[in-house]
């Protein structure tokens, strides 16, 4: 699912993560591209806590507002699936 460069922020991410279980695409969601948005470490925490994202094979967060610490936490949760 490509949601790149849409000015998405942490509040949007919270709503998205809450809606994933009911979404028609939930069982087939393997890639989530959030490149070039406005996601910060607070948004990273939302992703880390989202058990419905366990099936992701690739999580792309390039060009957001993440710190090195936020990226490390994401890597701890998702491993090499985070780009």
């Amino acid at each position: 699912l490509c949601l790149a460069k849409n000015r998405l922020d942490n509040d949007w991410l919270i709503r998205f993560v809450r809606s994933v279980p009911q979404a028609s695409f939930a069982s087939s969601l393997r890639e989530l591209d959030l490149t070039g948005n406005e996601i910060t470490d607070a948004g990273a925490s939302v992703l880390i806590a989202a058990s419905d994202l366990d099936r992701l094979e690739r999580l792309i967060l390039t060009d957001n507002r993440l710190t090195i610490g936020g990226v490390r936490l994401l890597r701890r949760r998702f491993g090499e699936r985070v780009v």
Side-chain angles (χ1 to χ4, degrees), residues 20-36:
V20 166
Q22 296 86 6
S24 60
F25 60 81
S27 64
S28 62
L29 183 62
R30 297 291 180 259
E31 180 172 301
L32 181 57
D33 185 352
L34 296 167
T35 300

Side-chain angles (χ1 to χ4, degrees), residues 10-57:
N10 298 328
D11 291 333
W12 178 89
L13 194 57
I14 290 168
R15 291 189 303 275
F16 174 78
V17 166
R18 286 182 184 158
S19 70
V20 166
Q22 296 86 6
S24 60
F25 60 81
S27 64
S28 62
L29 183 62
R30 297 291 180 259
E31 180 172 301
L32 181 57
D33 185 352
L34 296 167
T35 300
N37 284 293
E38 299 173 12
I39 298 167
T40 69
D41 289 355
S45 295
V46 170
L47 292 167
I48 289 164
S51 61
D52 294 303
L53 300 180
D54 288 345
R55 290 184 294 268
L56 282 181
E57 295 171 3

